[in-house]
Amino acid sequence: MKEIKIKTKDLTLYYGSKMALNSISVEIPQNQVTALIGPSGCGKSTFLRTLNRMNDLIPNVRITGEVLVDNFNIYDKNVDSVNLRKKVGMVFQKSNPFAKSIFENVAYGPRINGVNDKKKLTEIVETSLQRAAIWDEVKDRMHDSALGLSGGQQQRLCIARTMAVDPEIILMDEPASALDPISTSKIEELIFNLKENYTIIIVTHNMQQAARVSDHTAFFYMGELVEFGKTKKIFTVPVKKQTEDYITGRFG
Amino acid sequence: MERHFELELEKLKKRVLKMGNLVAMQIHLTMVALVTCDVEAAAEIIETDNAVDELDVKIDKLCQRIFALTQPVATDLRLIMASLKINNDLERMGDHAVDIAKKIEGLADYKDVLVELQIGELAELTDTLVKDVMSIMNTRNLSFIRDIYSDAAVIRKKVQIISEKIIELMTQKSDVLAVATSLMIILTQIERIAGYSFNIAESIYFVVEGKMVKHEKGFWDQSETTP
């Protein structure tokens, strides 16, 4: 049994008067991939963003309940959200490299965190690119613009950039939805391999992707967590009818 | 997209049921022909094998297509997995019926031996078992599944008893050696038909309940749960 990395207790979130998450209590295991699935507007991305307090940036958001990372409530007054986001990194649907060189994209995070030694920075950049399975493709053009990379390469670069600040948890919001099948397959393989060192939570609309990459799956519907369990069980014998209807495409 | 997928699944269900009805009819006619030693009926049964084989391939191809194009999960996945297995079991049952039919000609002069061995009773039990399994396939009503398990066990027991009688008969009458050997083979075929029938019932249980219970020794003897 894996240790629990993230635990939410009665997590409820409102956008103004609209309840977007209704009393979510879940335990996310360490060094595993957890997929969040559900129809658009079900709350899965909102839930993902509560895990590194990205929702703090949205006006009129009200959150109750707790999100414990390593048994520490990240919504505690004393928590510095910048430090939190170093520990809980995020990769977005659309790759968003800076208009800088490949090297600078990855070096940016460590540098603003005080790493200025060139040798150390080079080491971090190389390790991050290797972990993101893109090193071989970019090692000879480290000082070229990141914007010249393909969509799939840009996304892996963004994953490398996320890893460069040494997070423990990586949140991924539909990281492969804009990529072709080959790039998608590389990202999926990467996700699978990364779990050795990181706890990964991924939002995806692609059922087969959730089934392929994740160890656990959480099905959200209308702001509620309908079912959470091992992916192999959810995709073969789900307990709840709503889950069954959703994953078999009979929803609504 | 969704409707198209539903139509494909419906087509699969219909084809498997058609295969089931075809094989059940083959077995019914075989059991009747066995008891009456009807050589003409036996020849017709042998002819039907082609239709079963054709349908077998059609079902396999349909399953392959659904797997490749729709990546089914949960209940749909179970249905397709079970359809493949049931199809295979039915095809084997059909083959056994044909193998029995091929031996009927050699039994024509030994009707008295068949009566003495109570082959008629065994044939009737087998026919009923297969019909009951078809009924479960059609309705997915699992309340009779334990009866099917018991009926298959009765057939196995009866086959054992008749086999012992045949061995006894062989020691007493040397002129029955050929027919006795044929009957021993027929008994094996009937026992296998009963075995495949129960496999099909277990596959239906897997589709409905999501539990794979094959090879779980004692499950149907001891399980308290009403399937």
Side-chain angles (χ1 to χ4, degrees):
Chain A
M1 184 66 188
K2 292 273 181 187
E3 278 180 36
I4 300 303
K5 185 72 177 171
I6 302 171
K7 187 189 279 190
T8 70
K9 287 185 189 168
D10 295 325
L11 180 67
T12 298
L13 182 145
Y14 287 89
Y15 291 121
S17 60
K18 187 185 177 302
M19 185 191 271
L21 292 176
N22 184 3
S23 197
I24 309 294
S25 296
V26 68
E27 294 186 346
I28 295 174
Q30 183 171 303
N31 294 110
Q32 299 258 284
V33 179
T34 298
L36 312 181
I37 62 168
S40 296
C42 69
K44 58 190 185 300
S45 290
T46 299
F47 177 78
L48 188 78
R49 289 197 300 265
T50 60
L51 304 181
N52 69 346
R53 293 184 52 170
M54 289 289 279
N55 290 315
D56 289 11
L57 307 171
I58 301 170
N60 296 323
V61 164
R62 186 160 57 86
I63 297 169
T64 59
E66 289 182 344
V67 177
L68 306 171
V69 173
D70 292 329
N71 288 318
F72 192 81
N73 187 7
I74 63 168
Y75 283 91
D76 194 279
K77 287 192 289 226
N78 303 321
V79 170
D80 174 0
S81 58
V82 175
N83 279 335
L84 171 70
R85 288 177 202 138
K86 269 199 293 184
K87 186 170 177 169
V88 187
M90 190 156 187
V91 176
F92 298 88
Q93 178 178 9
K94 191 172 178 331
S95 54
N96 52 354
F98 306 135
K100 289 172 179 283
S101 71
I102 293 165
F103 182 91
E104 285 302 327
N105 261 275
V106 186
Y108 183 82
R111 193 174 271 140
I112 61 165
N113 283 307
V115 181
N116 288 311
D117 179 61
K118 189 145 178 29
K119 196 174 159 218
K120 178 75 182 160
L121 268 180
T122 306
E123 194 182 301
I124 292 173
V125 169
E126 187 175 329
T127 308
S128 303
L129 289 168
Q130 276 171 347
R131 282 190 171 178
I134 190 180
W135 171 248
D136 288 340
E137 293 162 58
V138 300
K139 64 184 177 193
D140 299 324
R141 45 174 173 154
M142 292 295 282
H143 299 289
D144 291 0
S145 169
L147 302 180
L149 297 172
S150 71
Q153 287 171 326
Q154 286 189 9
Q155 192 62 302
R156 279 178 286 145
L157 177 70
C158 291
I159 294 172
R161 192 175 66 189
T162 303
M163 288 190 293
V165 292
D166 203 19
E168 293 172 25
I169 297 164
I170 301 178
L171 311 177
M172 296 183 168
D173 196 352
E174 297 190 54
S177 66
L179 303 178
D180 65 65
I182 294 168
S183 302
T184 299
S185 148
K186 283 184 181 169
I187 297 281
E188 287 180 3
E189 191 60 27
L190 176 59
I191 292 169
F192 191 82
N193 292 328
L194 286 178
K195 70 180 178 186
E196 195 179 325
N197 298 307
Y198 306 93
T199 301
I200 295 171
I201 299 120
I202 174 172
V203 163
T204 178
H205 274 295
N206 182 332
M207 293 299 104
Q208 278 69 48
Q209 183 169 74
R212 282 192 296 263
V213 303
S214 70
D215 303 291
H216 290 81
T217 296
F219 170 56
F220 284 80
Y221 182 58
M222 291 178 76
E224 296 194 359
L225 177 64
V226 176
E227 188 166 350
F228 177 84
K230 287 191 173 166
T231 298
K232 61 185 173 191
K233 180 139 195 306
I234 296 262
F235 281 87
T236 52
V237 198
V239 174
K240 301 282 174 67
K241 186 172 184 308
Q242 273 178 319
T243 315
E244 171 107 30
D245 286 349
Y246 182 70
I247 62 172
T248 57
R250 292 186 177 84
F251 213 68
Chain B
M1 184 66 192
E2 198 179 313
R3 268 196 60 74
H4 172 70
F5 177 56
E6 295 282 349
L7 289 175
E8 291 281 87
L9 288 184
E10 277 309 309
K11 192 192 281 181
L12 178 61
K13 282 185 207 166
K14 278 184 189 157
R15 278 194 189 164
V16 175
L17 278 178
K18 186 178 172 189
M19 178 84 165
N21 289 331
L22 205 58
V23 171
M25 182 54 76
Q26 248 187 338
I27 289 169
H28 170 71
L29 295 174
T30 303
M31 293 303 126
V32 173
L34 174 65
V35 177
T36 57
C37 296
D38 186 336
V39 178
E40 276 178 32
E44 282 173 24
I45 292 158
I46 296 164
E47 287 292 307
T48 59
D49 200 31
N50 287 340
V52 171
D53 287 351
E54 273 174 29
L55 200 50
D56 171 39
V57 173
K58 268 188 172 178
I59 290 170
D60 275 3
K61 283 186 175 172
L62 180 56
C63 290
Q64 182 188 32
R65 193 167 75 219
I66 297 174
F67 271 130
L69 303 184
T70 65
Q71 294 95 37
V73 293
T75 182
D76 300 335
L77 175 65
R78 298 202 300 274
L79 174 73
I80 300 161
M81 282 174 67
S83 296
L84 274 171
K85 202 174 168 327
I86 290 170
N87 184 41
N88 193 47
D89 289 341
L90 285 170
E91 197 273 335
R92 298 299 304 136
M93 286 162 75
D95 280 351
H96 288 312
V98 168
D99 287 345
I100 293 171
K102 284 177 182 168
K103 298 217 171 302
I104 286 173
E105 195 175 359
L107 304 176
D109 297 333
Y110 298 93
K111 281 185 182 170
D112 55 329
V113 175
L114 298 183
V115 171
E116 188 186 337
L117 293 171
Q118 297 179 318
I119 295 292
E121 197 183 326
L122 179 66
E124 204 174 319
L125 284 171
T126 307
D127 189 21
T128 306
L129 175 72
V130 173
K131 279 180 182 147
D132 288 347
V133 169
M134 291 311 126
S135 165
I136 286 189
M137 264 178 71
N138 210 359
T139 61
R140 300 205 185 170
N141 179 351
L142 298 176
S143 49
F144 306 112
I145 197 164
R146 207 160 278 128
D147 295 339
I148 286 179
Y149 174 77
S150 311
D151 293 347
V154 169
I155 288 173
R156 275 200 305 276
K157 184 72 190 162
K158 201 139 190 73
V159 162
Q160 193 190 334
I161 292 168
I162 297 174
S163 299
E164 283 164 8
K165 279 188 188 167
I166 291 173
I167 292 167
E168 206 180 306
L169 202 64
M170 285 161 91
T171 58
Q172 291 164 0
K173 298 180 188 171
S174 58
D175 60 328
V176 297
L177 275 181
V179 70
T181 310
S182 281
L183 279 171
M184 287 296 254
I185 294 169
I186 288 171
L187 288 178
T188 309
Q189 315 271 21
I190 286 178
E191 193 180 13
R192 286 187 184 157
I193 287 173
Y196 285 123
S197 297
F198 191 66
N199 285 353
I200 292 173
E202 282 190 327
S203 292
I204 301 294
Y205 183 79
F206 171 65
V207 174
V208 177
E209 295 289 323
K211 288 181 202 154
M212 214 180 269
V213 293
K214 63 178 181 177
H215 309 311
E216 272 193 32
K217 287 198 171 62
F219 181 84
W220 297 108
D221 290 326
Q222 293 162 13
S223 175
E224 293 292 316
T225 53
T226 306

